[in-house]
Amino acid sequence: MSSLASAASKTATSAKAAATRAPPQGGILEGANPSKYNASNPLTLFIIQAIIIILFCRLLHFPLSRIRQPRVIAEVIGGILLGPSVMGRIPGFKDALFPAASMPILSMAANLGLVIYLFQIGLEVNLNLFVTNWNVALSVGLAGMVVPFGLGCAIAVGLYRQFSDEPGTVPISFGVFVVFVGVAMAITAFPVLCRILTELKLLGTDVGVITLAAGVGNDVTGWVLLALCVTLVNAGAGLTALWVLLTCVGYTIFLVYAVRPCFLWYLRRTGSIQNGPTQSVVAITLLMVLASAFFTNVIGVHAIFGGFLIGLICPHDGGFAIKLTEKIEDLVGVLFLPLYFALSGLNTNIGLLDSGITWGYVIGVVAVAFTGKIVGGTLAARLNKLVWRESLTIGVLMSCKGLVELIVLNIGLQAKILSTRTFTIFVVMALITTFATTPLVTVLYPPWYQKKLQAWKRGEIDWDGNSLDPHDTGSDKVDITGKLQSAQFRKLLVFLRLDNLPSLFTFITLLGGDNSMRPANKVHPLRPEALPKPASDEASGETSPQSSVDAKPKKPLEVHGLRLIELTERTSTVMKVSEVDEFAVRDPVVNAFRTFGQLNNVAISAGVAVVPESSYSETINGKAADLSSDMVIIPWSETGSISDALLPDSAENRYTSGPHNQFIFNSLAKATSNIAIFVNRGFGGPSIEPMPKTLSRTLSVHSLRSRHELTTAPVADRSHHIFLPYFGGPDDKVALRFVLQLAQNGNVTATIAHIRSPVSTSAQPPKSPEAALVAKRGRVSRENSASGVPTAEYNTTTGADVANAERNEAFFKSLADSLPAALQSRVVFETVDTAQPLHETLSRAKTEVGRSKNAGDLVIVGRGVSSQGRGLRDELISILGTLGQSSSADSETRKSLGDVAQALIMDKVKASVLVVQARPGSEAELE
């Protein structure tokens, strides 16, 4: 018996130990199912849900982004597809991946992200924009809320009678329901609206400014009304609702007049406004967000309003709001927001729209949403003296609902104001209004109409498009009188890049002419007797001719710099667009450019444009057309990247980057003015070279430190030598004009070589031994302004080729004959006849440039060639083969810059290269 008792005791003890033992931690190795929800360890299933939601939304956003739809559309549609409307109908799908027990965890993470996102929206709202345009913003914003609010109240009567008693709702008064529906109709999605305006390039127009300013007021007012509505729902009695409302107002005043001054003092003390937020500042700010969300939540208002208020009190000075947004936006936008909006989709059941009356209300809600916003915004804008088409565009933009509407709807669903069926009706309305905004605005306010409207407002044309300028003959061609060499490039547009500023500064200095004359030494204003007296003729008393100044004023050089910042999906870049003027003041590249202009007496303007990377070329060419620029200079990237970078990863990246090559090609293909692509190799400053990736073992610690402390000695020889191979054609003719203007600077010498070759490979054999020698080896004939045309022969076969060759020859000779006396000692014209023009060009370039330690030499070439340049492609393939490179390895670079420039770059000629393309239709002007 004792043994049985002992055995029973041991069994009970082991059973008790087994019951109290920790669960197995081996996971799938012990047969655990990771997709099964475990309340003690919910992380595993949450990770699976997050991965599915994020991947699904990203895949949906890819095709929708092609038609310019915001990401929120993909996120909501993704949630609808994952929810009971589509995939939820698959047996076991919902229980396996989205069981009801796991939804509180998913909802908690999504709502935490929503609080931080509302803080981000508060950062994005710049009240200064509303204050600056308060009159038009107030009228458009007020009309854009009152009309849809009234129409929303009207349709709320039917919605309340039809759907107020459905499952999932609580008994609420008709007045609360009407207020909520009115707010849902009157709200405008400010963040999505700002992005749409940016992508459509409307932010700088009257339409964009008015819409954005009205959107700020609309957004703030909408959140206040929503807070009031939630307060009325949560309060058990009317007196309680009043106390909640007064507490919320008092808390807002406390934040503005007590918290904000202390916060600003701390930011200035730590230098966070000027230098960006430190980690401590970010931590304190997020603690303020969480504390504010806690307070508004416990007093009966939703937690998101606390986060929104903290965002409103953050300063925009010094770009602080933008820099703070950069710290948090990726985590919120990539992880938390997809969870929240997918959760909205999971709560949406399209299957509940199963009756005619339900679909009637869907159509009615969509019609009310469009009509109220469009009518109110259009009439208000029209009263502010905008034309009808502008006004209608503003009304359509104000009808955009976007993610703000979905936040409102989710609050209504959580507060049980809306049933699942009514929630689905409003979600469909939000999707339709958001989806339709971009295409409707594109049709109503296309770019061609914007240009026409701006010209009409400036008084340049009448409403029918006829010019009002009496001097305009209706031709787009420029009237060039006199010799071609008298035409000067006096209005430049340069693409500002950090890595190419030294070379751009050198170009601008040289184009300004000869700056060797320095101003006289200054004299203290208290010492007038020390002023130098002008030399005069004692007999006549007239001023000496040596002291006279040319009375003919010289047209000053105007240089406009354009700095491009990539517009990404990040909110911070959209904020830069709305604050672009202030951002341009702080940009270091723009400031360096302005300082250079002040120090060198050059008329300079600079601006910043935040546009998608795909629109860089269009933006540059559009700016050049607006400024009527004589020449656009685009530096080739030092690193191969379109964005600025200081050091390249490798030398090959510079020419093999597909996006950068495409950017250059598009800029040349869409150019409406003369354009030049500059490949820097030490022109006016050192070319950026890649740092060695490994340290040599022969370097000691002392030599390593000395290597980093070496200083760069100033260049003793500030001269530049330019070589231009002239083949003919409009590109080469513009390049020749450009060289002659650069040569007006006393530090520039130039060699201009006319490369002549047989026009066709089927040409007849040379008629003399001398001509045969020229065709075989090439012959150089130097000529100055007084010499004649060289006698070397070249063969032609077609009438068109003969005519082109004659025009090219006549143009070249006319410039050589009329070369000013001041340039004859520094500019040499020569003619080279050869059967291998590309090989001869490379040989001549190596002879002309890179032979002295000056401030950098330059080879200028035209992008296209005339008929005498035929066959260059075969020569280029041969040259690349000699260099050990594939003929197709740099096809994109050759496509962008042409055969001659490709050969110069790949053969590593020791000089920078400038590739020039004439503006379309300039052939007749150049003759």
PDB file of all heavy atoms in Angstrom, residues 552-565:
ATOM      1  N   LYS A 552      29.454 103.768 -74.866  1.00  0.00           N
ATOM      2  CA  LYS A 552      28.475 102.755 -75.222  1.00  0.00           C
ATOM      3  C   LYS A 552      28.368 101.727 -74.103  1.00  0.00           C
ATOM      4  O   LYS A 552      29.319 101.017 -73.801  1.00  0.00           O
ATOM      5  CB  LYS A 552      28.886 102.063 -76.525  1.00  0.00           C
ATOM      6  CG  LYS A 552      27.862 101.047 -76.996  1.00  0.00           C
ATOM      7  CD  LYS A 552      28.301 100.408 -78.294  1.00  0.00           C
ATOM      8  CE  LYS A 552      27.280  99.379 -78.765  1.00  0.00           C
ATOM      9  NZ  LYS A 552      27.700  98.735 -80.020  1.00  0.00           N
ATOM     10  N   PRO A 553      27.241 101.639 -73.435  1.00  0.00           N
ATOM     11  CA  PRO A 553      27.126 100.683 -72.320  1.00  0.00           C
ATOM     12  C   PRO A 553      27.107  99.257 -72.838  1.00  0.00           C
ATOM     13  O   PRO A 553      26.537  98.958 -73.886  1.00  0.00           O
ATOM     14  CB  PRO A 553      25.801 101.057 -71.667  1.00  0.00           C
ATOM     15  CG  PRO A 553      25.004 101.673 -72.759  1.00  0.00           C
ATOM     16  CD  PRO A 553      25.988 102.374 -73.665  1.00  0.00           C
ATOM     17  N   LYS A 554      27.746  98.389 -72.089  1.00  0.00           N
ATOM     18  CA  LYS A 554      27.783  96.985 -72.442  1.00  0.00           C
ATOM     19  C   LYS A 554      26.635  96.258 -71.751  1.00  0.00           C
ATOM     20  O   LYS A 554      26.408  96.435 -70.558  1.00  0.00           O
ATOM     21  CB  LYS A 554      29.118  96.376 -72.010  1.00  0.00           C
ATOM     22  CG  LYS A 554      29.307  94.935 -72.438  1.00  0.00           C
ATOM     23  CD  LYS A 554      30.672  94.437 -72.011  1.00  0.00           C
ATOM     24  CE  LYS A 554      30.879  92.993 -72.456  1.00  0.00           C
ATOM     25  NZ  LYS A 554      32.190  92.481 -72.034  1.00  0.00           N
ATOM     26  N   LYS A 555      25.906  95.443 -72.507  1.00  0.00           N
ATOM     27  CA  LYS A 555      24.785  94.717 -71.919  1.00  0.00           C
ATOM     28  C   LYS A 555      25.298  93.752 -70.873  1.00  0.00           C
ATOM     29  O   LYS A 555      26.184  92.944 -71.149  1.00  0.00           O
ATOM     30  CB  LYS A 555      24.027  93.965 -73.011  1.00  0.00           C
ATOM     31  CG  LYS A 555      22.743  93.319 -72.510  1.00  0.00           C
ATOM     32  CD  LYS A 555      22.010  92.650 -73.645  1.00  0.00           C
ATOM     33  CE  LYS A 555      20.711  92.004 -73.136  1.00  0.00           C
ATOM     34  NZ  LYS A 555      19.990  91.321 -74.226  1.00  0.00           N
ATOM     35  N   PRO A 556      24.788  93.837 -69.650  1.00  0.00           N
ATOM     36  CA  PRO A 556      25.334  92.994 -68.585  1.00  0.00           C
ATOM     37  C   PRO A 556      24.961  91.531 -68.770  1.00  0.00           C
ATOM     38  O   PRO A 556      23.972  91.193 -69.420  1.00  0.00           O
ATOM     39  CB  PRO A 556      24.689  93.579 -67.325  1.00  0.00           C
ATOM     40  CG  PRO A 556      23.402  94.169 -67.805  1.00  0.00           C
ATOM     41  CD  PRO A 556      23.684  94.686 -69.186  1.00  0.00           C
ATOM     42  N   LEU A 557      25.768  90.679 -68.171  1.00  0.00           N
ATOM     43  CA  LEU A 557      25.502  89.253 -68.181  1.00  0.00           C
ATOM     44  C   LEU A 557      24.492  88.927 -67.087  1.00  0.00           C
ATOM     45  O   LEU A 557      24.663  89.310 -65.934  1.00  0.00           O
ATOM     46  CB  LEU A 557      26.805  88.477 -67.949  1.00  0.00           C
ATOM     47  CG  LEU A 557      26.692  86.950 -67.882  1.00  0.00           C
ATOM     48  CD1 LEU A 557      26.300  86.396 -69.240  1.00  0.00           C
ATOM     49  CD2 LEU A 557      28.003  86.334 -67.413  1.00  0.00           C
ATOM     50  N   GLU A 558      23.419  88.228 -67.456  1.00  0.00           N
ATOM     51  CA  GLU A 558      22.416  87.787 -66.498  1.00  0.00           C
ATOM     52  C   GLU A 558      22.494  86.265 -66.383  1.00  0.00           C
ATOM     53  O   GLU A 558      22.432  85.560 -67.386  1.00  0.00           O
ATOM     54  CB  GLU A 558      21.005  88.185 -66.952  1.00  0.00           C
ATOM     55  CG  GLU A 558      20.782  89.674 -67.059  1.00  0.00           C
ATOM     56  CD  GLU A 558      19.378  89.992 -67.521  1.00  0.00           C
ATOM     57  OE1 GLU A 558      18.530  89.066 -67.482  1.00  0.00           O
ATOM     58  OE2 GLU A 558      19.127  91.128 -67.926  1.00  0.00           O
ATOM     59  N   VAL A 559      22.627  85.800 -65.161  1.00  0.00           N
ATOM     60  CA  VAL A 559      22.733  84.366 -64.925  1.00  0.00           C
ATOM     61  C   VAL A 559      21.646  83.960 -63.941  1.00  0.00           C
ATOM     62  O   VAL A 559      21.557  84.517 -62.843  1.00  0.00           O
ATOM     63  CB  VAL A 559      24.114  83.974 -64.370  1.00  0.00           C
ATOM     64  CG1 VAL A 559      24.217  82.464 -64.234  1.00  0.00           C
ATOM     65  CG2 VAL A 559      25.221  84.502 -65.263  1.00  0.00           C
ATOM     66  N   HIS A 560      20.838  83.018 -64.344  1.00  0.00           N
ATOM     67  CA  HIS A 560      19.770  82.500 -63.497  1.00  0.00           C
ATOM     68  C   HIS A 560      20.131  81.070 -63.104  1.00  0.00           C
ATOM     69  O   HIS A 560      20.372  80.222 -63.966  1.00  0.00           O
ATOM     70  CB  HIS A 560      18.432  82.531 -64.233  1.00  0.00           C
ATOM     71  CG  HIS A 560      18.053  83.887 -64.735  1.00  0.00           C
ATOM     72  ND1 HIS A 560      17.342  84.784 -63.972  1.00  0.00           N
ATOM     73  CD2 HIS A 560      18.295  84.506 -65.911  1.00  0.00           C
ATOM     74  CE1 HIS A 560      17.160  85.901 -64.660  1.00  0.00           C
ATOM     75  NE2 HIS A 560      17.723  85.755 -65.842  1.00  0.00           N
ATOM     76  N   GLY A 561      20.186  80.815 -61.817  1.00  0.00           N
ATOM     77  CA  GLY A 561      20.509  79.483 -61.321  1.00  0.00           C
ATOM     78  C   GLY A 561      19.254  78.749 -60.891  1.00  0.00           C
ATOM     79  O   GLY A 561      18.360  79.330 -60.274  1.00  0.00           O
ATOM     80  N   LEU A 562      19.179  77.482 -61.212  1.00  0.00           N
ATOM     81  CA  LEU A 562      18.041  76.657 -60.831  1.00  0.00           C
ATOM     82  C   LEU A 562      18.539  75.455 -60.059  1.00  0.00           C
ATOM     83  O   LEU A 562      19.351  74.668 -60.551  1.00  0.00           O
ATOM     84  CB  LEU A 562      17.267  76.197 -62.073  1.00  0.00           C
ATOM     85  CG  LEU A 562      16.029  75.318 -61.810  1.00  0.00           C
ATOM     86  CD1 LEU A 562      15.012  76.077 -60.979  1.00  0.00           C
ATOM     87  CD2 LEU A 562      15.407  74.854 -63.127  1.00  0.00           C
ATOM     88  N   ARG A 563      18.069  75.344 -58.856  1.00  0.00           N
ATOM     89  CA  ARG A 563      18.414  74.219 -57.973  1.00  0.00           C
ATOM     90  C   ARG A 563      17.225  73.282 -57.914  1.00  0.00           C
ATOM     91  O   ARG A 563      16.093  73.718 -57.610  1.00  0.00           O
ATOM     92  CB  ARG A 563      18.721  74.774 -56.590  1.00  0.00           C
ATOM     93  CG  ARG A 563      18.922  73.714 -55.523  1.00  0.00           C
ATOM     94  CD  ARG A 563      20.358  73.358 -55.406  1.00  0.00           C
ATOM     95  NE  ARG A 563      20.636  72.725 -54.150  1.00  0.00           N
ATOM     96  CZ  ARG A 563      21.305  71.592 -54.046  1.00  0.00           C
ATOM     97  NH1 ARG A 563      21.740  70.993 -55.126  1.00  0.00           N
ATOM     98  NH2 ARG A 563      21.560  71.067 -52.862  1.00  0.00           N
ATOM     99  N   LEU A 564      17.437  72.003 -58.230  1.00  0.00           N
ATOM    100  CA  LEU A 564      16.352  71.032 -58.265  1.00  0.00           C
ATOM    101  C   LEU A 564      16.464  70.079 -57.082  1.00  0.00           C
ATOM    102  O   LEU A 564      17.534  69.508 -56.837  1.00  0.00           O
ATOM    103  CB  LEU A 564      16.377  70.238 -59.575  1.00  0.00           C
ATOM    104  CG  LEU A 564      16.099  71.037 -60.860  1.00  0.00           C
ATOM    105  CD1 LEU A 564      16.121  70.127 -62.065  1.00  0.00           C
ATOM    106  CD2 LEU A 564      14.769  71.764 -60.767  1.00  0.00           C
ATOM    107  N   ILE A 565      15.368  69.938 -56.350  1.00  0.00           N
ATOM    108  CA  ILE A 565      15.264  69.003 -55.238  1.00  0.00           C
ATOM    109  C   ILE A 565      14.230  67.956 -55.619  1.00  0.00           C
ATOM    110  O   ILE A 565      13.140  68.279 -56.109  1.00  0.00           O
ATOM    111  CB  ILE A 565      14.836  69.716 -53.938  1.00  0.00           C
ATOM    112  CG1 ILE A 565      15.800  70.875 -53.629  1.00  0.00           C
ATOM    113  CG2 ILE A 565      14.775  68.739 -52.779  1.00  0.00           C
ATOM    114  CD1 ILE A 565      17.210  70.452 -53.336  1.00  0.00           C
TER     115      ILE A 565
END
